[in-house]
C-alpha cells in the first residue's frame, strides 16, 4: 500500500517563514548594536572622558585587554571592565557635564534687579492706562449720586418703611 503525498500549501508555511524572518532581523540589529559598542570602546584613549553604564563620569588612565583603569576623582583610581563603559564622550561634552564649562557665551546677569522689572512696570502702566480709557456706562458721578440720595429720603423724617418694617426702638 502506497501513501499519496499531498503537496504542502504555501499558506501553511507562511507562519514558519515569518518567524524565521523576525528572528533574523532581531539578531541582525543586536549584532549591529554590539559592533557599534565595540567600536566605541576602541575609540577610548588615555585621557578620554567616559560615562559608565552605572552613570559615573570618569577619565581613562590605562586600557588593558579586558579592563580599564579610570580616574574617578583626582588621585582616586578604579578598575572597571571594558563592557562597563556606556559612552565615550568628546572633550567638550565631558567638560560641560563634569566641570560645568560652556563654550557659548551666556547672557550677563545685571547687579541690580531694576532692569529685570522694567518690562513688568511698563506692562502695568499700560494696563492702568487702558483701564482709565474705558467708558463706564453703568455708574453715575459722585454729585448725581448725592442728589439722588437726598431725593429718596422723605421730608417728614420717616425712613419710608411701612409699619413693622422699621427697626425696633
Amino acid at each position: 500500500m502506497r501513501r499519496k503525498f499531498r503537496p504542502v500549501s504555501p499558506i501553511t508555511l507562511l507562519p514558519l517563514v515569518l518567524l524565521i524572518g523576525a528572528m533574523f532581523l532581531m539578531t541582525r540589529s543586536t549584532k549591529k548594536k554590539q559592533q557599534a559598542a565595540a567600536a566605541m570602546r576602541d575609540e577610548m584613549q588615555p585621557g578620554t572622558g567616559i560615562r559608565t553604564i552605572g552613570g559615573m563620569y570618569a577619565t581613562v588612565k590605562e586600557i588593558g585587554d579586558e579592563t580599564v583603569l579610570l580616574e574617578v576623582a583626582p588621585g582616586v583610581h578604579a578598575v572597571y571592565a571594558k563592557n562597563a563603559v556606556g559612552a565615550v564622550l568628546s572633550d567638550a561634552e565631558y567638560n560641560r557635564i563634569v566641570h560645568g564649562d560652556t563654550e557659548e557665551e551666556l547672557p550677563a546677569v545685571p547687579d541690580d534687579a531694576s532692569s529685570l522689572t522694567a518690562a513688568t512696570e511698563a506692562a502695568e502702566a499700560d494696563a492702568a492706562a487702558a483701564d482709565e480709557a474705558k467708558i463706564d456706562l453703568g455708574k453715575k458721578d459722585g454729585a448725581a449720586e448725592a442728589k439722588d440720595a437726598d431725593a429718596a429720603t422723605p421730608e417728614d423724617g420717616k425712613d419710608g418703611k411701612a409699619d413693622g418694617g422699621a427697626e425696633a426702638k
Side-chain angles (χ1 to χ4, degrees):
M1 204 174 191
R2 282 190 98 171
R3 287 186 168 180
K4 290 185 179 181
F5 287 104
R6 290 185 293 172
V8 178
S9 171
I11 295 175
T12 58
L13 293 177
L14 186 63
L16 181 63
V17 171
L18 288 176
L19 183 63
I20 292 172
M23 289 174 45
F24 173 73
L25 291 175
M26 286 190 295
T27 57
R28 189 171 138 214
S29 66
T30 304
K31 283 182 182 178
K32 281 186 177 181
K33 288 179 184 178
Q34 288 175 348
Q35 288 174 348
M40 180 232 2
R41 287 187 196 102
D42 290 340
E43 292 176 11
M44 285 190 304
Q45 300 292 328
T48 305
I50 60 107
R51 182 183 65 234
T52 65
I53 57 174
M56 182 180 67
Y57 293 92
T59 305
V60 176
K61 285 298 177 184
E62 294 178 11
I63 301 173
D65 292 336
E66 297 292 323
T67 60
V68 179
L69 180 66
L70 301 177
E71 185 176 30
V72 179
V76 179
H77 296 88
V79 177
Y80 276 78
K82 276 188 176 180
N83 292 338
V85 175
V88 177
L89 306 173
S90 66
D91 290 337
E93 185 179 6
Y94 180 77
N95 288 331
R96 180 185 60 82
I97 293 170
V98 175
H99 302 294
D101 297 344
T102 57
E103 292 179 3
E104 66 273 356
E105 188 68 29
L106 295 176
V109 177
D111 291 337
D112 61 342
S114 63
S115 65
L116 299 175
T117 59
T120 306
E121 291 171 357
E124 289 174 357
D126 290 343
D131 287 343
E132 290 176 6
K134 291 181 182 176
I135 299 173
D136 188 11
L137 300 175
K139 293 185 180 178
K140 298 178 183 177
D141 63 336
E145 287 179 20
K147 188 180 198 183
D148 290 342
D150 289 340
T153 308
E155 305 238 349
D156 58 354
K158 293 184 180 179
D159 59 0
K161 295 183 181 179
D163 290 330
E167 292 181 24
K169 295 183 180 179

